[in-house]
Amino acid sequence: MSLHSLRCKEFGVAMTENRMSVTRELTGEGLEIRGRLPPGLCGTLYRNGPNPRVPDGDAHWFLGEGMVHAVTLGPGGASYRNRWVVPAGQVRLLGKANTNIIRHGGRMMALEEAHAPVMFDPSSPGATGPMPTAWHVGMAPFTAHPKHDPRTGELVFFGYAADGPWSNVIRCGTLAPSGRLTWETRIRAPFCSMIHDMAVTPDHVLLPVLALVGRADRTDRSGFGFAWQPELGGRLALLRRGGDGREVRWFDAPPGYAFHIVNAWEEGGRLFLDLLVYDEPPLFPRGDGGHGSCGSVRPQRWSVPLDGRGEARVAGLPDVTGEFPRIDERFAGSRHTRFYLASRAPGRAGGFHAITRMDAESGQGDQFDFGTDASVSEPVFVPRAPDAARDEGWLLAVAWRPDWRTSRLAVFDAGHIADGPVASVILPQRVPDGFHGNFIPDAHPGRGIA
Ligand SMILES: [Fe+2]
């Protein structure tokens, strides 16, 4: 069974139609804006995702070369720029850098979990190279989902398969706001798990070592060798920030697999994390080589006792079928109420066609549906002002519909999503389905970063 057949069978044409690569690197100024951009919304939304230079129908979606799409908003209007992150000749050295793009220590970093971060200069046609050695992150793996601690400005990270492909060693550490490495330790896990995301609180790190297991003896021709083996049992690794990896506390994980963690916090002696849980991970085969299921996904709240005495617990959250969750990240690591995600109608296969805000306590949702043929990105929350109240801000998402023949950047008032976008920027080309991105205030591609 090829991954291509799995993808097409399980996810249907609607999900793959906006997966096709674009072939041009464009710069577009003075873009058409429908509605009115909020006057204070100044900066650049960077989005990263796979965009293979040479499309290969049998290659896994996760393995395409990263392309960054940047939409800059400001008093002068809106502009767009897209570039492959890594020059073609450097992919073997730097990796594909296709999953996320963040700023830390004054540098833009394109991330993909099997490689070191790649510095990305938005004014250049491609990457400038790997992270400088002064940052001491070397070529070891570095998650695409490091977490900024809003209290300290630190960046907490991990990397699985840290002792080489398929190894069971996980590295975990912290970069100071300057980018300097201030903590690193190693954890020995029961197996090599694809750990896509992490939970971080002011004092602890939790890594979901779930049973999507990598083994060298089942790699496909593109080098992917992960399969779902729930019989091995998932584990949760709890570690004090700054601690020694040998002190890790292990818990049996609740059933299922999660790519993404919404947020985590500590309360009453427990660490809580909200996450989006699949019965089994989509896009991957089972351990016996059989087809995985498309898998339903639902939000859950997991928790573990901080003293290690007791078990992991599961609580349900209001139901929504979606992915790519975000919060108001000024408050990451403390208990949130609202989260935002790309969503789809229950029971429907395919991509995501709506933007939803969920209230985890009341179960109240607020949603805007772009239409069932649409494909919508992760919604990125941008506070209305640096000191705005929690959840007072804008949601930025890139949406595509076949009848538009291009993509649009949709700007929502995060408090009134169902009212539809307050502004839509018509982009000069289609933006293929991607993974993650961030809004960097006052960043202007082509003029360096302010
Ligand atoms: Fe992700």
Side-chain angles (χ1 to χ4, degrees):
M1 178 199 66
S2 74
L3 288 163
H4 174 67
S5 64
L6 181 151
R7 182 179 63 215
C8 294
K9 185 179 176 63
E10 301 291 347
F11 286 84
V13 172
M15 190 161 188
T16 57
E17 199 170 346
N18 197 37
R19 292 271 175 86
M20 297 281 290
S21 296
V22 294
T23 57
R24 294 179 300 168
E25 294 183 322
L26 297 180
T27 299
E29 309 277 353
L31 303 180
E32 178 187 348
I33 300 168
R34 297 188 186 167
R36 183 166 176 264
L37 281 174
L41 188 62
C42 297
T44 298
L45 177 72
Y46 292 95
R47 295 210 48 80
N48 197 354
N51 194 85
R53 285 182 169 86
V54 182
D56 175 350
D58 279 335
H60 197 283
W61 182 39
F62 291 3
L63 298 177
E65 295 147 277
M67 174 177 274
V68 165
H69 302 260
V71 185
T72 298
L73 310 175
S79 62
Y80 165 86
R81 193 174 162 99
N82 70 302
R83 296 291 183 270
W84 271 288
V85 179
V86 179
Q90 295 185 46
V91 171
R92 185 176 291 274
L93 172 68
L94 299 179
K96 293 173 178 170
N98 67 7
T99 311
N100 201 353
I101 179 164
I102 67 169
R103 182 166 69 170
H104 186 72
R107 293 177 169 90
M108 300 297 298
M109 296 156 57
L111 305 172
E112 174 265 303
E113 65 199 33
H115 293 83
V118 172
M119 282 200 306
F120 183 78
D121 177 356
S123 65
S124 82
T128 54
M131 292 289 290
T133 52
W135 285 35
H136 300 299
V137 294
M139 289 303 290
F142 189 102
T143 177
H145 285 284
K147 294 288 190 284
H148 272 120
D149 183 331
R151 296 156 197 80
T152 64
E154 294 173 302
L155 188 72
V156 185
F157 68 92
F158 71 95
Y160 65 85
D163 273 359
W166 321 115
S167 80
N168 63 342
V169 174
I170 305 163
R171 65 195 291 253
C172 195
T174 298
L175 301 181
S178 65
R180 190 169 57 88
L181 183 73
T182 52
W183 170 52
E184 182 173 16
T185 191
R186 297 165 94 76
I187 299 167
R188 194 166 292 277
F191 44 75
C192 175
S193 164
M194 178 183 280
I195 309 170
H196 184 65
D197 201 351
M198 70 191 307
V200 175
T201 68
D203 294 320
H204 290 88
V205 167
L206 184 139
L207 298 171
V209 183
L210 306 177
L212 181 53
V213 179
R215 281 197 342 222
D217 62 356
R218 61 175 168 228
T219 52
D220 62 16
R221 71 178 173 80
S222 57
F224 237 27
F226 288 94
W228 178 233
Q229 294 187 264
E231 71 280 4
L232 295 182
R235 311 294 298 280
L236 302 176
L238 175 67
L239 183 63
R240 187 173 50 82
R241 278 173 60 178
D244 186 317
R246 289 170 296 192
E247 299 166 358
V248 68
R249 298 179 191 275
W250 289 102
F251 301 88
D252 290 336
Y257 182 81
F259 289 109
H260 293 124
I261 292 169
V262 178
N263 185 32
W265 69 98
E266 295 177 17
E267 195 173 308
R270 299 183 74 84
L271 183 148
F272 291 84
L273 61 156
D274 285 0
L275 66 178
L276 300 177
V277 181
Y278 294 84
D279 297 328
E280 57 182 321
L283 299 170
F284 289 91
R286 293 174 178 158
D288 62 5
H291 286 261
S293 75
C294 181
S296 61
V297 60
R298 71 192 72 81
Q300 288 185 343
R301 178 163 294 174
W302 294 3
S303 69
V304 296
L306 290 167
D307 64 5
R309 297 183 195 153
E311 298 182 339
R313 293 184 197 148
V314 185
L317 286 176
D319 206 18
V320 60
T321 300
E323 257 294 3
F324 304 118
R326 298 297 293 258
I327 60 165
D328 180 344
E329 288 173 14
R330 293 174 300 161
F331 301 94
S334 66
R335 183 170 181 157
H336 63 276
T337 303
R338 295 175 168 184
F339 62 97
Y340 312 90
L341 71 176
S343 62
R344 64 172 173 254
R348 178 181 177 272
F352 303 107
H353 54 86
I355 295 295
T356 296
R357 182 190 74 229
M358 285 303 298
D359 186 311
E361 309 301 332
S362 71
Q364 252 187 345
D366 185 17
Q367 185 178 84
F368 181 81
D369 190 344
F370 284 87
T372 51
D373 289 339
S375 185
V376 184
S377 79
E378 162 194 62
V380 174
F381 181 90
V382 182
R384 195 179 297 264
D387 58 352
R390 184 186 287 226
D391 289 306
E392 191 180 296
W394 313 106
L395 280 184
L396 274 55
V398 175
W400 171 84
R401 281 173 43 146
D403 57 326
W404 290 348
R405 299 179 183 278
T406 188
S407 295
R408 299 177 180 180
L409 171 66
V411 179
F412 292 87
D413 180 336
H416 301 280
I417 296 173
D419 292 348
V422 297
S424 295
V425 179
I426 313 301
L427 303 181
Q429 67 177 341
R430 187 174 58 81
V431 176
D433 291 347
F435 295 132
H436 302 288
N438 286 287
F439 185 81
I440 310 296
D442 302 321
H444 298 279
R447 297 207 302 272
I449 299 170

